[in-house]
Amino acid sequence: MKLSSYCASLAVFLFAATFSLATTYPSVQALTEDSLESVSINFLENVAGFNMTIYNVESFETFTARSWDQHLETHVHIILKNGDEQIDVHLTFVDGAFWSYDISLPPDQTLLGSEKSLSDYLILAKRAVQNFGALVNLTWCEDYANMISENIAGDSTIENQNAILEVVYNENCSTQLDTLRYVKFRWFDKKDNFTIPRLSLALSKTGLVTTFLRNLCYVATTEVDISEEEAISIARSYAESYAAKHNLNIVSVNATLKLERDWKWTRGSDNYAMYPGWLVFFTFDRVENGVIGYSVLIWADSGTVYDYGPQGFYTDGKADAPLSGTVGLIVAAILSSIIAVQLMLRKRGK
């Protein structure tokens, strides 16, 4: 795979993973290339379900760098080959802890193997979560695995006192990506009035685990002391000021209570911490230079305004509305990761 295409796929993957959440924070560990290879191959065999006796490791590449938010990110790129079949594997570790895994194929290629039965997918997903827990020493994985029962048929939502499991089947497979992510499993923790995405995986039609994401943020507090009405009142002056300056009128307002990551380190030294926040969105009466509304994010436990700015969309390859606040930080994260790939890639062919 060319470095440019690898950077592009990594950017997309990082953008998706940027929004991940969890309830524990990993300790910093020293990862040598040998230990990375051992853990990665172990993951492929015991979690992803690869039969490594028939695959040749064509290349094994790693790079490690401090990310824009000062966390140590280690990326692993493996090329597997079995005859004419080629599979590109990407794994990411943050501060020594497993974060994510996915695979990609050349455009005209499909995975070898036959389609599995519904019961097979359930068994394979359960085994993957159990083996992942054993690999990285996470006891809660067993609780998640036990939520998968043989009674699940088709799209399902399973809920217990502490967690929610969503199972989604992609019945209409029209693209390569559809076949790679044929069945999706997503687990959410329940904490007070919030649901927190924590673990997800996807299986191909042939039964391989093709994506696996462990979320690494944690909840600092769920305390809510600011009401919806108070949040809207605090936010309104920001939106009205912008609307008056640009001759716009506010036609509707919506407030959503959600857990938000402290991207800008305003509440301490750990920006993996999450806090409850009111996201207040004001919709304008018309689109002006791509701007459709204005959003204000307010911490629900303190009433402090965390982020604010106009919201819009892209047209003709140009940003009609400027990126602001947290959105800009997310873009910075992607760009810094791509730069790290270009500057720090280490190659070791086999």
Side-chain angles (χ1 to χ4, degrees):
M1 174 182 283
K2 293 182 179 179
L3 180 58
S4 59
S5 61
Y6 179 45
C7 292
S9 62
L10 176 62
V12 173
F13 190 61
L14 285 174
F15 189 82
T18 295
F19 298 95
S20 61
L21 328 171
T23 56
T24 58
Y25 181 69
S27 59
V28 176
Q29 303 173 24
L31 288 171
T32 65
E33 189 166 355
D34 287 341
S35 65
L36 276 172
E37 183 168 7
S38 175
V39 170
S40 299
I41 298 302
N42 192 331
F43 180 93
L44 291 177
E45 286 183 315
N46 297 305
V47 180
F50 281 91
N51 179 0
M52 293 303 293
T53 63
I54 65 173
Y55 284 98
N56 178 52
V57 179
E58 189 77 7
S59 71
F60 184 91
E61 306 170 348
T62 71
F63 62 91
T64 300
R66 288 285 173 187
S67 63
W68 69 280
D69 56 358
Q70 297 306 304
H71 293 279
L72 194 66
E73 291 187 3
T74 301
H75 301 274
V76 178
H77 176 215
I78 304 170
I79 297 179
L80 299 177
K81 282 200 171 181
N82 175 21
D84 294 332
E85 183 186 36
Q86 175 177 313
I87 301 175
D88 286 84
V89 178
H90 312 116
L91 300 102
T92 307
F93 300 82
V94 176
D95 293 339
F98 176 92
W99 179 21
S100 62
Y101 149 88
D102 76 341
I103 69 170
S104 59
L105 304 175
D108 57 347
Q109 183 181 299
T110 58
L111 287 172
L112 298 178
S114 57
E115 183 176 347
K116 303 298 182 182
S117 67
L118 294 182
S119 60
D120 287 335
Y121 295 126
L122 299 175
I123 293 171
L124 292 168
K126 185 171 186 175
R127 183 185 304 160
V129 175
Q130 289 174 325
N131 289 347
F132 176 73
L135 176 64
V136 298
N137 195 28
L138 292 174
T139 57
W140 49 261
C141 285
E142 188 66 28
D143 296 330
Y144 280 4
N146 289 334
M147 295 180 71
I148 302 176
S149 73
E150 60 184 14
N151 298 323
I152 297 175
D155 294 357
S156 303
T157 299
I158 298 91
E159 185 171 353
N160 61 28
Q161 184 177 356
N162 301 312
I164 300 170
L165 166 62
E166 292 181 353
V167 182
V168 179
Y169 287 84
N170 189 354
E171 296 292 351
N172 300 313
C173 291
S174 58
T175 68
Q176 183 191 77
L177 188 60
D178 291 337
T179 61
L180 287 179
R181 301 179 183 179
Y182 181 60
V183 191
K184 299 176 184 178
F185 295 78
R186 295 189 292 257
W187 285 265
F188 302 79
D189 278 345
K190 295 194 297 185
K191 190 172 180 64
D192 296 334
N193 294 320
F194 298 95
T195 56
I196 308 154
R198 191 171 188 189
L199 195 72
S200 65
L201 67 87
L203 292 169
S204 69
K205 266 196 166 185
T206 61
L208 278 179
V209 175
T210 53
T211 67
F212 200 105
L213 179 64
R214 172 195 173 191
N215 304 309
L216 293 177
C217 292
Y218 68 95
V219 179
T221 181
T222 57
E223 183 178 352
V224 176
D225 293 324
I226 303 299
S227 68
E228 179 178 353
E229 291 75 17
E230 289 172 324
I232 292 174
S233 177
I234 294 170
R236 185 173 292 279
S237 62
Y238 290 83
E240 288 180 343
S241 176
Y242 181 90
K245 183 178 179 180
H246 296 273
N247 195 28
L248 297 166
N249 296 308
I250 296 171
V251 294
S252 66
V253 57
N254 177 266
T256 304
L257 182 63
K258 57 194 298 187
L259 288 170
E260 292 284 351
R261 181 175 169 183
D262 181 19
W263 287 96
K264 298 186 286 188
W265 305 279
T266 62
R267 307 191 60 161
S269 59
D270 185 2
N271 74 341
Y272 270 68
M274 299 190 69
Y275 302 85
W278 284 106
L279 181 61
V280 186
F281 190 87
F282 299 86
T283 303
F284 296 138
D285 58 343
R286 68 180 188 280
V287 177
E288 181 73 19
N289 294 324
V291 175
I292 62 173
Y294 198 94
S295 69
V296 182
L297 179 59
I298 300 163
W299 293 130
D301 58 332
S302 66
T304 302
V305 174
Y306 174 66
D307 192 57
Y308 58 90
Q311 302 300 314
F313 53 85
Y314 293 92
T315 58
D316 298 326
K318 297 180 181 180
D320 287 332
L323 292 173
S324 63
T326 303
V327 176
L329 288 172
I330 294 170
V331 173
I334 297 170
L335 293 176
S336 66
S337 297
I338 294 174
I339 292 170
V341 175
Q342 295 171 327
L343 294 179
M344 306 192 69
L345 186 64
R346 297 171 55 208
K347 294 186 178 180
R348 179 167 63 83
K350 284 193 170 184

